[in-house]
Amino acid sequence: MASSGAACFDRAIDTALALLAWLVALLVVGTIGWIVADLLRQGLPRLSWAFLVELPIDAGRSGGIRPILISTLLILGVCLAVSVPIGLATALFLAEFQRGHRGFGPLVRYSLDTLAGVPSIVFGLFGNAFFSITLGLGFSILSGGLTLACMVLPLLIRSMETALRAVPAEHRLAAAALGLPQRVSLLHIVLPAAAPGLAVGLILGIGRALAETAALLFTSGYVDRLPGSLLDSGRALSVHIFDLAMNVPGGASQAAATALVLVALVLLINGFTGWAAQRWLGSLSSAAL
Amino acid sequence: MALHPKPVPAHGARRRRRSVIPWTVAGLAVMSALGGCGRTSDLKLSLSGSSTVAPLAAEIAKRYEASHPGTRVDVQTGGSSRGIADARTGTAQIGLVSRALKPEEANLQATTIAIDGIALIVNAANPVRSLSDGQIRSIYTGSLTNWRQVGGADAAITVVTKAEGRSTLELFLEHFRLDNRRIRASVVIGDNQQGILTVAADPHALGYVSIGTASQEADAGTAIRLLPLAGIAPSLENVRSGRYPLSRPLNLVIQPPAAAGVPPFLAYASSSEVNDLVEAQFFVPPAP
């Protein structure tokens, strides 16, 4: 019977495709597992509380990473302090006032998407030329943070815009029907309702910022001293990992331990951001009453 | 506009509304307080350039800062060309350059703080006493594969090379005018210690490692022998004098006249007070 043969064939194809999908998914999980296992195997024996609070010794082969950790947090702080307000404002502008396919909005989106595709080394060279030399900030945490802010802004704005657009129009209509001014509806309804989506954007931005090496090598620099101010040069975790792995013979295990700290830091910040967004979303209920 | 009945997001437990912003601000304040133990310094030296020299320069800088309170030495990287450019433009007072100056750079002044040299090593049991540059090139590109072809025992050569990104590999490739993609290696190693262990354990291995480490190990009785290159013995004296071909000076470069505070640092960085730091980075200290 031809029809049963065809059905059999279709079933076989379906099963094969399902198997393939499983295999690919396993491959992805396996890759991540391998990376983490490799880092743990090499880095875990070196990891301790002392590693976090000591100064690096012998070009980072021994000692810890305290100044590097602090520099990284300061660079990230500068980056977020600049990029989040600008990013959120632009995303609000695009999502609430430029919803159409004409006018200024598409131009802004087009330039953002172009910027998002620019390699980070280009941002590094720009940051070095503009912040470090033209503005005279030199190699400093401030230059590094501002360069990172330029780099993460496109990513931040586009994902925040998507989050704001995902808030159902009914929310806005209901607020308008109650005669609430737009700022109240934005601040107390749209933003909290979009909080989980905004947090995803923020997490992507933080991830990209913490992973950045090339741009920081030319802006925040290589100095592994404890920074005295934002105008001091400070080495980021990613730069430290790169240096230990490529320039310091015998630095591989310390590089793995530092990478573990970086991964833990990203997870910690992601967790905190998600928690904060949930709390903000929770505030909807009390605000609505 | 289509009116889909969309579920309202689930609300969390009813708490008093509290913004996350104060928390974030508090976090930033704590961070800056941790970082902001303000220190004043009278003199700031800036160094920039070769990534090979940078870790050593940073170690010397730390020791210099400790013994000269009020001086701050910042080290940045970016490559030897950048070291030359920054010293010329004054972006940095001192450039880090991992090679000898070229004739067109004669207007700059170089101070050698260390020498990076490479020794070809074989197992101590290997009867081969020397290899020509051509033979080494052929072995590393895979056209010579047996020790018999170069006067040794009838055994396959175990070719040991370095992993990508090591300055030793860079120098080796440059000297023998080899392309890393053409190298046919049996073993790829990471650091010097691993290279020495590999060659000491395999009677048919040929490898190359930092000359400082290799001579220390050979003197300490490890089963390796350093091969002469182009007839020149791989002794530390020959490396220091620049006669040994497979080596390069690591230089601090300035554009004269030297800025205030620079000459004492140059003198310190090339003095015997930092020999242990030079050796810890697997380089050879320059002649006193």
Side-chain angles (χ1 to χ4, degrees), chain B residues 227-239:
Chain B
L227 294 181
L229 265 189
I232 297 172
S235 66
L236 294 187
E237 292 68 47
N238 284 340
V239 171

Side-chain angles (χ1 to χ4, degrees), chain B residues 17-266:
Chain B
R17 194 161 65 87
R18 233 189 302 169
S19 167
V20 290
I21 293 164
W23 286 95
T24 318
V25 172
L28 282 177
V30 169
M31 267 156 43
S32 18
L34 275 172
C37 343
R39 266 187 300 174
T40 51
S41 49
D42 318 311
L43 185 67
K44 190 180 155 190
L45 295 179
S46 53
L47 282 66
S48 125
S50 160
S51 58
T52 308
V53 192
L56 171 62
E59 283 301 305
I60 294 177
K62 260 184 225 168
R63 192 175 280 182
Y64 189 75
E65 281 175 354
S67 58
H68 296 69
T71 305
R72 234 182 64 181
V73 187
D74 279 3
V75 180
Q76 306 294 351
T77 66
S80 291
S81 320
R82 170 112 175 256
I84 297 272
D86 283 358
R88 279 215 168 113
T89 58
T91 310
Q93 285 134 331
I94 302 173
L96 312 173
V97 181
S98 60
R99 55 171 170 77
L101 289 181
K102 295 174 184 166
E104 67 266 27
E105 293 158 354
N107 59 333
L108 299 172
Q109 228 173 58
T111 307
T112 301
I113 56 168
I115 299 154
D116 185 12
I118 295 174
L120 265 292
I121 54 171
V122 292
N123 190 281
N126 197 317
V128 175
R129 288 286 177 258
S130 75
L131 291 169
S132 72
D133 281 13
Q135 285 171 330
I136 292 167
R137 209 173 293 132
S138 303
I139 292 172
Y140 271 88
T141 49
S143 48
L144 278 181
T145 54
N146 196 301
W147 282 111
R148 190 164 34 92
Q149 293 163 292
V150 291
D154 182 11
I157 303 174
T158 312
V159 180
V160 182
T161 193
K162 286 239 169 178
E164 202 91 52
R166 304 281 169 175
S167 72
T168 322
L169 170 68
E170 210 178 289
L171 182 52
F172 180 81
L173 295 177
E174 194 187 299
H175 178 81
F176 289 105
R177 274 175 258 109
L178 286 168
D179 182 346
N180 200 23
R181 280 168 301 181
R182 283 181 56 211
I183 286 194
R184 298 281 165 267
S186 334
V187 184
V188 178
I189 52 155
D191 56 24
N192 290 310
Q193 215 53 44
Q194 201 185 345
I196 286 168
L197 290 178
T198 308
V199 175
D202 183 342
H204 309 302
L206 172 70
Y208 57 93
V209 292
S210 273
I211 205 161
T213 325
S215 25
Q216 269 174 35
E217 288 286 335
D219 291 347
T222 309
I224 57 167
R225 195 173 56 247
L226 286 69
L227 294 181
L229 265 189
I232 297 172
S235 66
L236 294 187
E237 292 68 47
N238 284 340
V239 171
R240 285 200 186 101
S241 67
R243 283 186 63 223
Y244 182 73
L246 195 38
S247 70
R248 59 177 171 184
L250 305 183
N251 285 322
L252 299 185
V253 167
I254 59 161
Q255 165 105 46
V262 170
F265 180 76
L266 293 180

Side-chain angles (χ1 to χ4, degrees), chain A residues 56 58-59 61 73 77 139 169-170 218 221-227 232-233 246-247 249 276 283 285-286 289, chain B residues 1 3 11 14 17 20 28 31 35 39 51 54-55 59 62 65 72-77 82 165-166 280-281:
Chain A
D58 190 13
R61 279 191 205 92
L73 292 174
F139 282 98
E170 289 79 6
F218 296 130
Y222 182 77
V223 174
D224 62 357
R225 192 187 304 111
L226 205 59
D232 279 353
S233 169
M246 301 305 277
N247 295 328
S283 77
S285 57
S286 43
L289 286 177
Chain B
M1 187 173 286
L3 285 175
H11 294 181
R14 284 190 193 179
R17 194 161 65 87
V20 290
L28 282 177
M31 267 156 43
R39 266 187 300 174
S51 58
E59 283 301 305
K62 260 184 225 168
E65 281 175 354
R72 234 182 64 181
V73 187
D74 279 3
V75 180
Q76 306 294 351
T77 66
R82 170 112 175 256
R166 304 281 169 175
Q281 306 297 323

